Amino acid sequence: MDIPLGHRVRGDGSLWTRGPATALAGALPALAFPAPSLWWLAYVALVPWLLLVRSAGSARRAALYGWWGGAGFMLAVHHWLLPSLHVFIVVLALLLGALWAPWGLLVRALLGGAPGRGRCAAALVLVPAGWLMVELVRSWEYLGGPWGLLGASQWQVPPALRLASLGGVWLLSLLIVAVNTALAGLLTVPTARVPAVAGLLVCALVGAAAWWWAPLPRPAGTVRIAVVQPGPGGTPTQRLARSEALTAALAGRGVRLVVWGESSLYEDPADHPALAARLAALSARTGADLLVNADAPDSGRHGISKSAVLIGPHGPTGDRYAKMRLVPFGEYVPARSVLGWATKVGKAATSDRRRGTHQVVMPLPAAGGLRAGPLVCFETAFPDMSRHLAADGAQLLVAQSSTATFQDSWAPAQHASLGALRAAETWRPMVHATLTGISAVYGPRGEPVGERLGTDRSASAVYDLPLAQGTSPYTRWGDWVLYGAVAALLAYGLTGAVRATVRRGAAG
């Protein structure tokens, strides 16, 4: 039986004090992400949360501390949604935070009390594996998608990007949690010192081995592309005029692809010949293919889709991609009959966008048939989407985005940073083009290329983008880190079940 609320538990404390402390501890890792970008903090930020959970006076409290810490993390990472969702963001944080309750039980089971060396060594594998299961479940698009995966905080660290090419962002999350688990054990569990030090050395050796011996993409020339960012303010008509003027100014600069941001058009060129002719004239004038994004009803269909549309000198080429993974509440309301009230307390979508059905790889005629794989907005948060595009032959990843609603928050920087991870994972350069910033471009190792266009810019920028040959290990092997984590947890559960059966048999 758990101790009543407000009472004391030896080595634990009052829920009134430890509950808020756990939520704050869970929020701490958010500082490792942009805009603060304290990437190094990720390697110690989980320690306070781990210490609170391992010292919980009961399994129930450990689950509560996992839940509240998870809610704190979700609220901190997504705090910029508050102006749009208002109080509903707290409800979502509490719902998603519950995913960490089983993780809290796992932490206490492995590190609680006075564990032996074997249990401490197992914690170095199983606690990170449990964390990955939480990240995997919450990555389901209907639960909000994989925004704020812990490994994504390392987007600007070259050795981490090298590791991402081997096992994706999942490998980074696994190693970060392993380091935090080792440090937590080292600080509080005397029997954990040897396995903790060994675990830290293994993590360091894995990083060093990847830096020195992991394969690298082979250079394959360059392609000149441009990003057009019309900037904040103005009506859709004024924004289109700015985009046209910025694009026309690129004539004579040898650009082969011009990328506009998400929702750059509110009419589909396929249904509006005059608009298609204007865009075709721009393509002919610059000598470049033009990738626009229409937030409009698809030709011959009912409902609105967000579609990447390729324009050549003779108009739409027929190559287009409709966004498949929509932003919950921003572009549709899950279970609208139940949760439709969210539109009354915030800025949730009043109508649902239509989903695309499949990913598309587009040949770019102006770039000699170079194959581009488009993504729209928060689809860049999903590692599997860019990996599948690379496996399907994309030589260039292109993301069209708009974070205009969150212009003065951490969201634009967080979103732009994801391009580095996706490029490193796939060995494919990535263009992240937005309406209002931040626009950024990354090479095939995840390295930044050229200037970033901030949220105060209305400009175009030209990039000589390095291309690469070869297939990255992550593209080839897929989510092997996740499979390994599942196998480790299943082995742990099976071992526990066998031991329990043996004990019951011996007692009988």
Side-chain angles (χ1 to χ4, degrees):
M1 179 182 296
D2 198 22
I3 303 300
L5 184 66
H7 285 225
R8 310 294 295 182
V9 177
R10 181 178 299 175
D12 192 358
S14 167
L15 284 176
W16 293 110
T17 56
R18 289 174 68 91
T22 305
L24 288 173
L28 186 60
L31 297 176
F33 295 89
S37 285
L38 305 177
W39 63 267
W40 49 269
L41 185 64
Y43 295 92
V44 298
L46 294 180
V47 172
W49 187 5
L50 286 165
L51 296 183
L52 286 164
V53 174
R54 74 161 294 273
S55 63
S58 67
R60 179 182 174 186
R61 287 212 173 186
L64 283 174
Y65 294 162
W67 177 19
W68 293 340
F73 178 64
M74 287 287 92
L75 189 58
V77 169
H78 297 90
H79 74 275
W80 41 270
L81 286 170
L82 186 60
S84 294
L85 297 183
H86 299 296
V87 68
F88 199 72
I89 185 62
V90 178
V91 176
L92 289 177
L94 288 170
L95 290 173
L96 292 173
L99 296 174
W100 274 271
W103 183 75
L105 293 172
L106 182 66
V107 170
R108 184 178 183 273
L110 293 168
L111 292 176
R117 287 185 178 180
R119 189 145 55 103
C120 292
L124 296 177
V125 175
L126 295 172
V127 170
W131 181 279
L132 281 193
M133 292 304 97
V134 177
E135 291 200 333
L136 176 62
V137 172
R138 77 177 183 86
S139 293
W140 188 38
E141 60 179 300
Y142 298 104
L143 289 180
W147 196 280
L149 299 182
L150 195 57
S153 64
Q154 307 302 295
W155 65 277
Q156 72 277 59
V157 184
L161 294 174
R162 193 73 59 83
L163 283 165
S165 73
L166 300 176
V169 68
W170 312 111
L171 181 56
L172 300 182
S173 289
L174 185 83
L175 292 176
I176 290 170
V177 180
V179 169
N180 277 274
T181 305
L183 291 175
L186 198 62
L187 289 172
T188 59
V189 184
T191 53
R193 288 173 184 166
V194 171
V197 170
L200 291 173
L201 287 174
V202 168
C203 290
L205 288 173
V206 168
W211 180 252
W212 289 107
W213 291 300
L216 293 171
R218 301 187 303 276
T222 62
V223 63
R224 178 163 288 189
I225 63 97
V227 169
V228 166
Q229 179 177 296
T235 65
T237 300
Q238 292 170 329
R239 186 172 63 217
L240 174 58
R242 285 202 301 269
S243 296
E244 288 180 301
L246 290 168
T247 302
L250 297 170
R253 300 188 63 180
V255 173
R256 295 293 171 253
L257 174 67
V258 179
V259 185
W260 289 12
E262 179 189 17
S263 302
S264 47
L265 302 175
Y266 282 95
E267 294 179 335
D268 192 329
D271 296 329
H272 294 81
L275 175 61
R278 287 166 60 185
L279 297 174
L282 279 175
S283 173
R285 181 173 179 179
T286 58
D289 294 315
L290 182 60
L291 189 67
V292 298
N293 189 276
D295 190 358
D298 286 342
S299 179
R301 297 177 62 184
H302 299 291
I304 297 175
S305 298
K306 290 190 175 182
S307 300
V309 181
L310 190 65
I311 307 291
H314 303 293
T317 64
D319 293 301
R320 60 189 298 140
Y321 164 70
K323 185 177 183 181
M324 296 170 58
R325 296 183 182 174
L326 305 178
V327 179
F329 299 97
E331 294 169 332
Y332 78 102
V333 174
R336 185 177 286 274
S337 60
V338 177
L339 299 176
W341 60 270
T343 61
K344 297 185 172 104
V345 298
K347 300 177 183 177
T350 55
S351 62
D352 295 345
R353 294 292 193 272
R354 291 181 62 92
R355 296 178 184 274
T357 58
H358 61 281
Q359 292 187 267
V360 174
V361 176
M362 300 177 177
L364 304 176
L370 183 74
R371 295 166 64 81
L375 298 163
V376 181
C377 193
F378 101 134
E379 290 181 332
T380 61
F382 294 86
D384 64 304
M385 295 196 75
S386 52
R387 179 167 62 84
H388 290 154
L389 285 172
D392 289 342
Q395 298 163 281
L396 166 66
L397 302 176
V398 182
Q400 297 173 299
S401 175
S402 173
T403 49
T405 305
F406 313 106
Q407 189 76 353
D408 298 318
S409 72
W410 293 359
Q414 286 183 12
H415 202 176
S417 71
L418 295 173
L421 266 296
R422 304 292 87 88
E425 288 170 342
T426 60
W427 287 358
R428 296 296 179 261
M430 184 157 192
V431 178
H432 179 82
T434 71
L435 287 182
T436 59
I438 297 172
S439 297
V441 174
Y442 302 96
R445 301 185 189 183
E447 74 279 16
V449 175
E451 65 173 326
R452 291 160 66 92
L453 298 180
T455 54
D456 59 342
R457 299 283 302 278
S458 176
S460 62
V462 176
Y463 303 87
D464 287 316
L465 192 61
L467 302 173
Q469 292 180 338
T471 303
S472 73
Y474 177 63
T475 301
R476 183 181 300 114
W477 301 334
D479 295 326
W480 61 270
V481 176
L482 291 175
Y483 302 144
V486 171
L489 291 169
L490 288 176
Y492 173 66
L494 181 61
T495 301
V498 169
R499 288 177 177 172
T501 301
V502 171
R503 282 196 298 266
R504 282 196 299 269

